[in-house]
Amino acid sequence: MLALRNTGDGFEDASALWNVPDGSVTAIAVGPKLLVATGSGVSAHSFSNGVFVKELSLLGQSATFAASAVAWADLTGDGWLDVVMSGTSGHRVVAGDGGELRFRDATSELGIAGIVGGTRLLPADYDADGDVDLLVDGGTGGPRVLRNRGASGFDDVTARFAFGTDITSIVWVDRDGSGAIDAGITVGEELRVMSNARSGAGALRLRARTDADADAHVADAQPDRDAIGSVVRIDLDGDGDWATGSRTAIVVVQSGAHVLVNGLVADGASVRADFIDGEGIETSVAAAANATDLLDPFAPVLVSAKLSATGKKITLDGLRLPASGGRILVGEVALTGVKAPPRFVGTDGTSTRLVGKDARLTQLLQTKPVAIRVFAAGVFTSPVIVR
């Protein structure tokens, strides 16, 4: 596997510098972690202190699945990204259960194991029912469309599509901006588009920008950050609760381009974006049919979390923490009582310490690891993980 770094004057090989996974690679997927597939299995890698670090236990026994394709997608519809793998033996799905911190094997419940695999996986909600479907390319018999029926699992519905036998490649695309996902195919040297007649009126278009002025090469008040690899979660029903209701999650793979979220998106839905460095933003969608820009945040910094001996109080230390109006999130639950001790509040109105009290704290911290964040004015910190 080779990694090239953009120096501004060209590209240079940074594989050794970044400790890039070595060996023959069959597929990669960008997301909360870098997924690397080989003939012997799939590994997950975080980027820490300038190098890639392999996380041995993240995927459990599914790490030994011989995959020729891998992707991040919310196949279970719970608002957390899952990992889907495809290979000659079929498919494997490892479902995110509480974010990127915990995973469980969901292959059997989705009924996807015995469906023919391939060398490319393209997630998209082609039928606009709110569930993420899969386009599998490069397998025997040509491309296959796997429809996600929610609790009933996946069905192979390829027979409904007139793909033919001479297709050389295929991709999902919204060719006319209607919100309905069409298919672009190549036959030899010819490009064709198969139009989707379904209405996309409920679609939400998201556009990820690298920073507030959309120009990562111009110095400004906010640090520049690439949106590629950021995780976007959408509270589809607009109930303001990230732990219940209708949700979905996607990974941004291209900055500046629109990302289509299909299904019934309510006005007032919330969009939450986690950037690869852990910071993030939360914003409301005024009108579901309009595009929403995900701007670069200038977040406070959270350094540490300490639980009291009674288990009912948690103390957070950091920089630029909100002296008032802030929230402490334990997982997805906001604590009922949050305050900044006066002696930690600076002249700029921010604090270096927050204290949260909640009778549920012991219960919230029972299932570890747990991510703890501070949220204020639409921006939240990178998490501190309590293990």
Side-chain angles (χ1 to χ4, degrees):
M1 183 173 171
L2 177 68
L4 301 178
R5 181 174 65 175
N6 189 344
T7 65
D9 297 321
F11 290 89
E12 65 180 16
D13 188 344
S15 304
L17 176 66
W18 293 342
N19 192 30
V20 171
D22 197 11
S24 178
V25 174
T26 54
I28 62 173
V30 176
K33 309 291 181 185
L34 176 68
L35 300 177
V36 179
T38 67
S40 59
V42 178
S43 56
H45 303 259
S46 58
F47 196 72
S48 178
N49 297 322
V51 296
F52 283 99
V53 179
K54 186 175 182 179
E55 301 196 6
L56 299 175
S57 60
L58 190 68
L59 301 178
Q61 293 182 349
S62 296
T64 60
F65 183 83
S68 53
V70 64
W72 289 98
D74 180 17
L75 300 187
T76 55
D78 59 1
W80 295 107
L81 286 171
D82 312 315
V83 176
V84 55
M85 315 170 197
S86 186
T88 56
S89 61
H91 295 85
R92 180 74 58 85
V93 177
V94 185
D97 185 11
E100 64 186 73
L101 303 176
R102 294 184 297 274
F103 287 86
R104 61 183 176 83
D105 194 319
T107 310
S108 297
E109 67 188 67
L110 293 175
I112 198 172
I115 302 177
V116 176
T119 58
R120 278 205 313 152
L121 283 169
L122 302 173
D125 180 16
Y126 84 91
D127 56 0
D129 65 354
D131 295 315
V132 178
D133 311 302
L134 288 173
L135 177 61
V136 183
D137 196 14
T140 57
R144 312 187 81 86
V145 178
L146 309 184
R147 184 190 176 198
N148 188 343
R149 297 187 296 119
S152 299
F154 280 81
D155 283 339
D156 189 336
V157 296
T158 310
R160 303 179 186 177
F161 298 81
F163 284 142
T165 58
D166 51 356
I167 293 178
T168 52
S169 65
I170 188 168
V171 66
W172 294 123
V173 61
D174 179 16
R175 68 173 183 87
D176 52 7
S178 67
I181 295 178
D182 312 302
I185 63 175
T186 57
V187 179
E189 297 181 354
E190 182 181 356
L191 175 63
R192 302 176 186 175
V193 176
M194 301 182 69
S195 180
N196 187 344
R198 286 182 177 270
S199 170
L204 169 66
R205 293 175 181 82
L206 304 175
R207 184 175 62 189
R209 304 197 328 192
T210 53
D211 63 0
D213 57 13
D215 187 349
H217 301 291
V218 176
D220 53 29
Q222 297 185 2
D224 292 326
R225 177 181 290 111
D226 201 332
I228 295 176
S230 59
V231 178
V232 178
R233 299 178 60 205
I234 303 99
D235 170 25
L236 293 170
D237 54 12
D239 66 354
D241 191 339
W242 290 102
T244 62
S246 178
R247 295 154 292 160
T248 192
I250 58 175
V251 175
V252 175
V253 295
Q254 183 178 357
S255 290
H258 280 160
V259 178
L260 196 64
V261 179
N262 245 316
L264 299 176
V265 184
D267 284 353
S270 295
V271 177
R272 177 171 166 174
D274 283 278
F275 289 82
I276 57 175
D277 60 3
E279 295 180 1
I281 60 171
E282 185 175 318
T283 185
S284 295
V285 181
N290 292 340
T292 295
D293 284 340
L294 302 179
L295 302 182
D296 174 77
F298 185 59
V301 177
L302 186 59
V303 176
S304 65
K306 181 179 180 180
L307 188 66
S308 67
T310 62
K312 295 183 179 181
K313 181 176 75 173
I314 192 166
T315 301
L316 307 181
D317 288 307
L319 300 173
R320 298 191 301 273
L321 301 176
S324 62
R327 287 187 287 158
I328 295 177
L329 304 177
V330 179
E332 295 302 297
V333 179
L335 301 187
T336 55
V338 178
K339 69 176 183 179
R343 69 189 182 96
F344 290 94
V345 177
T347 57
D348 61 352
T350 66
S351 177
T352 58
R353 173 167 291 183
L354 287 181
V355 177
K357 293 183 178 180
D358 198 306
R360 302 167 296 171
L361 255 178
T362 302
Q363 179 183 354
L364 294 174
L365 293 170
Q366 276 184 344
T367 307
K368 297 178 181 178
V370 177
I372 298 177
R373 296 177 181 268
V374 171
F375 179 91
V379 179
F380 51 86
T381 66
S382 54
V384 167
I385 308 300
V386 177
R387 302 185 181 277

